[in-house]
Amino acid sequence: MVTPAKQETPPAKRNHLAIAVLCAALLLAVTACQSGSSNGQGSAGSSANTLVVAINDDPTSLNPIVSSSPSTMTVSNVWSEGLWYLDGNYKPVPVLAKSWDVANDGKDVTIHLQEAATWQDGKPFTADDVVFTLTNIAKLSARAGSFLAVLESATAVDPQTVKLSLKKAYGPLFAVLDQRILPMLPKHALPEGDVTNSAFNQEPIGTGPFKVTKWNHGQSITAEANPSYWQGRPSIDKVVFKIIPDAASMTNAMRTGEIDVIGNAILNGNTSKTLKDAGVPVSRLPGTPAVKYLFPNTKNPILAKPEVRKALFTAIDRNAMIEAAFEGYAEPATGMIPAEYAALYDKGTDYGKIFSHSTKDAAKMLDDAGYPVKNGARFKLSLLYSPSTHGAESVAQIIKANLGAVNVTVDVQSLDQPTLLTKVYKEYKFDLAHIGYSTYEDPNLGIDRAYRCDDSGQPYQNPTGYCNAKLDQLLMQAAEHVETSKRQALYQQAQEIVTRDLPVFPLAMVPKYEAYSKRIQNVEAEFDFFGSGDPTWARARLK
Amino acid sequence: MSERGQYLKYLLGTARFAVSRLLQSLGLLLGVVMVMFLLIRMAPGDPVQAMVGDFPVPDEYRDQVARQYRLNDSWLVQFMVYLGHVARGDLGYSYASHQSVGGLILERLPATLLLTAAGLISAAAMGIALGTWSAVSSRRSTRAVLDMFVLVGFSIPTFWLGQMLVLLFALRLGWLPSGGMSDARAESTGWASLLAAGPYLVLPAVALGIRELAATARIAKGATMGVLSEDYIVTARSKGLSSAATIRRHVIRNAALPTIASLGYRVGLALAGAVTIEVVFSWPGIGRLLYQAILARDNSLVVGVILVIAVLVIIANLVTELLYRALDPRIRGARHVR
Amino acid sequence: MSDEASPLGARKNRAELFSWANTLRSGYGLVGSITLAILVLAALFSPWLAPYDPHAISSSYLGPPSGEHLLGTDLVGHDLLSQLLHGARVTLLVAVTAAVISFGLGVLIGSLAGYFRGPVDAVLMKVTEFFQIIPSLVFALILVAMLGSHLWLVTIAIGITIWPQQARIVRSQFLTLREREFVQASRALGFSDRHIIFREIYPNALGPVLVQATLDIGIAILLETALSFLGLGDPNKASWGQMLFGAQEHLERAWWIALWPGVAIALTVLAVNFVGDALSEWFNSRSDVGRVSLQKRKNVASPPAAAPSRTGDGTALLDVQDLTVHLRRGAKVVRAVDRAEVKVRPGERVGLVGESGSGKSMFSRAVLQMLPSANVETFTGRIALDGIDLMRLNEADMRRVRFEDLSIVFQDAMTYLNPTMRVGKQITEAMAGLSATDRQERTRQILASVALPTTTRFMRRYPHELSGGMRQRVLIAMALASQPKLLIADEPTTALDVTVQAQVLRTLVAVHTKTDMAMLIITHDLAIVAEVCDRSFVMYGGQIVEEAAVSRLFSEPRHPYTRGLMASMPGKSDYRLGKRLTGSVVDLTDVPTGCRFAARCELAHDRCSTEPPWVRIGDEGVRCWLFADESGPIGRSTDKPADSKEVTTS
């Protein structure tokens, strides 16, 4: 049973209020005595087997299909499971699905489910739940859209078997049905209609090793071991997700031992470096990186010229950016597809060589493109970004300095995320915009969207106004194939067009890093608590 | 009239005063809501996107949300709907958090109250002591040092002081935690949780308190000097009372009055200071909530927090005025004069 | 206490220390101005002073202070020294502009409210109230977040959130100044409102408004800093606040990023506050607000140690000799009491008469050793009470004297009573060494003796709950509580209605006859002296000008000033001895040589330009050349025996 935090907190709250005033004056004295013990090893007794994980904001909802914020995703890793997870080589490994058959050119998929799996409230996990998740819930998932577009039907053949009929073959099938995008949700605990405001989103029930028991808004979320977990009770008793919005506080807490894990969604170059310097293990995860893009607005006649775009890209010192803004915890983009998509990656293309940084070359290219220096400047561009994106502040300053060196004036505008998205994707009121994209397990989900022609006004698509029918055609075909060799050929052709026109500037690829305390045992070298659906949570032990 | 009758009359008068004050404040609050509402509607930014994160919003989802929260209605309709929510006390619905604004704020409010109360009350107590000391001190050097301290306290940015405290006491010396409000591993409720919050409270309360300390010291000093130049102090001295007795019996109470009167106003400033302090120290209060709400364009939450701050300031002012009435017999006993 | 008795050397050291601290204090303004001047210069010349372009990046990321980058670099390799210098420009520009906006809005709205008053005032004050309940940082935060973080928007947002304080100041200046005489006078003379506002009100309101404008600069800097810290600053302009943004993340690895701009901000705001404080002090000193220090009663050394500790003839209870008090008032010296000689015998009722400003109140303060010590320039002479030289007592002993032997009744009972203390307590407080019940009993006796109710309910009242006459009687009761040997009544009835005056005076006399204490009644009203006193001194310009038995004083006033006073008494205008007094009291900061009354004296002649001698005539005396002649070498026949005359030229 979930203990609703709301019912439990009022007495404590009233206590707070009542004694706050009285205690305030005494606190200095009280804390002087306490401060010695507060530092570091604050754990004792029953709390020793508690794992504390940092998240950086209070989730809006715990349902990862309704909200895809990093904190929601992080928490969902402990209580929910998907049909399978993708290993380091993008090969599906069974979880709730025992096995599967793909037939009819990839259009018919039969999934056999685990018999032993049960929900945390004791009810059995059945094919009905899978069908319910794919038909009733998935439509709310922003990332399942392309899958739903090809899904003809999902039917329960028997309680342990689900049959999917697709309109055409779908490349990213395994990526979409992964825990990260479509975790399985219980039919019996959710309403038929609108689930956006269901109580389930506050007190979710999954099949995972831990069950959410308490949500202390603004402070922490607690999940306790599920004793009847179908793969066996986990070793850790309790996982506490502590909400620490400020990166510096988070690294400090990590160092003092207050928290055990900082997940990949949060860790950035600075925090990674700080932690590593302090002797905290930081490991790079196998998943795909986030791409830090700089979008030029081709509705601006200057930026409509590919020569100008290439000149600007050449002027930007991406290596210095990685050193400074990402403190070495990022890699330069070699092309459209990150190297992590091993099978699809085009080894022949390297932006680092094609557009190697040179202020002199860039200046000449701009002269040649018809924009000589007049009165000390060629032209002026606005650069929009949101400070909530890691490193964006520094990236913007570096671009300002780099383009300044070729006499292009940059007016930097720091906006809150919603305003940024509106100005960039809806109003096209920008010249340059710096935005980071997650890539997910398949380029069709994470990469293509930045290149496809798009005038829908939807955020996180291609805001540049660049449209190339041939490119769109190639990307669509790539999604319709399951065999990687065919897909790679299509992506290679797409890369050629992209290299020629350079509609988008990929500035850096930021891999996933994770920091964890040395207390955690029994996990592989490729330790990954997050984003894989791998039941690492069930196996991990604490020293 | 009997003593009890007079006391009853005093209580009645106080109640009437409090009610009329609150009624006056209602108009002001309506103004606050209106101005904030208009301001926020002027801002760009798509609240629905803020809910979803790093991915396009499906149209179906967007429509549903827009319908549910009347995002497509006119401003006036939205404003009226909002006023209805305010009247009901839930302050509207935060579509970014899927929670009632009132609930969200209530969850965070105790932390902010704890922080501001700790900062403000200890600062006020020390400020009054320092200010009085400075005013009665015969040594000009003492006065100069205290004045200097007050001016420095006024000049340091609150959050920067917080950062420096973190740097020194949390990172370098490791005496106190650098942020947050509790140790995640510790399970405690009620009194115990408050006690456990102690070490976490010290640095933010000090950072928040220094400016308030300086301000109170300044006011207290002015008030004390004012009282010292009053004729009845001459009377007290002519009675042969010692300096200490004079200060204790005649100066402190009279000087405390204007100082207390100023505290209501300080509450607002302390709450504003709490915004940056809560960001520096990851303190889970309404200040940080406001900051996050602004960045996420969670408009109803922004208005809600500001409304709550306004109410807190009004309550603080009322409380100080009532305190003032209780401490100053001239106002309390207005029945005899007027 | 001990330093009161310490040798002169120690005193001197302390005096030096004071003057050092004083210089420092007055130096605040100078230090602040110089710092600001340096800042402005640095800001103006930053392009030449800064070693690098503030936006240029180097390959030194998070570099600590070094020879190449004196203050270190930030995450992307900006040179912090260059940013700091250019930041001064941005920060000062924002702050000053915002302060100017606030100034404009504040003066405009404050003037409108103060000028129109009534509903306009009410509405505008509601608006300022609005700003008071929404803290300015929060309001500016919302404005900038919603409208954008361009530098000019940030500046305007700050300006329009901080003006209400200024408006309140301007309004209150309007409201107080428009009641003042000179504004009333201008109005009566038919000057236009515009003239009054711009010629009379604004110049007078300038002080506080200017001080607030200065302080606004500091407030604006702090606001800009906070906004930038929250990520709402303009990233194109490296203001100090902008430098602090992002420093949080690198606090531990690169403390220098946070340190320099923070120090720069703190120093600048401090300098601004110094200047504001200095300005405020300067304006205040012009309006001359004195200060009373509780601790010290004398700043100046006692008279020569050779003076005997028991002084005067044995018969006098109070024996004041050669008492001189000079006070500082701004740059000027006020000669408040000048070589005063006063004797009061036990049980005697003595008057001290003079117009206001004649120095008589300062005389009583001096006797009580309660001069405003901060302003005392010179305080010499001998004051003996019952044979004890009060000038040589330390503070504790003096307190005992005040507690037991000496009491004073002041003029304005309302202000001399503590408004927040019950009257019973204020009376018992003055009693020494009695048990609680005895005190109660004694308090009742005293209350009865001054014809006040003796009920507990009365004793539990606060001063404001009593009538004026009752309050004065409470004050008298307080003075009697310690059963003093000498009661000094300083204008005890001036603030009262005529009928109440008579009652209070009767009370005083009645009390006196019941005890054997002596009374020194200080007043400007000869009628009171006539009614109550046995003997009287007349004081003018800080000097005792006449001493006489009351009967004699009224039948044959000697000094022309005394005669003038008599003539000025209501119903005595036909008095043969002279005309009513004209002109005003001599300016004690600018005392003429010679007779101080000469300027107003009908009988003045050339000798009056030299200081007149104290002419002793029997038990009496007068300070006037007219009487010096009686015993002078030229001589004049008088009816007085020659040996009773004695001329002292001091």
Side-chain angles (χ1 to χ4, degrees), chain A residues 255 270 327 393 397 411-412, chain C residues 235-236 245 249 252-253:
Chain A
R255 291 175 44 195
N270 171 52
E327 309 209 33
E393 188 76 23
Q397 290 297 332
D411 176 41
V412 181
Chain C
N236 290 298
F245 171 68
E249 263 192 88
E252 187 176 18
R253 285 169 53 208

Side-chain angles (χ1 to χ4, degrees), chain A residues 412-424:
Chain A
V412 181
Q413 293 177 22
S414 167
L415 303 167
D416 60 285
Q417 192 78 9
T419 306
L420 174 72
L421 298 181
T422 304
K423 287 207 170 180
V424 172

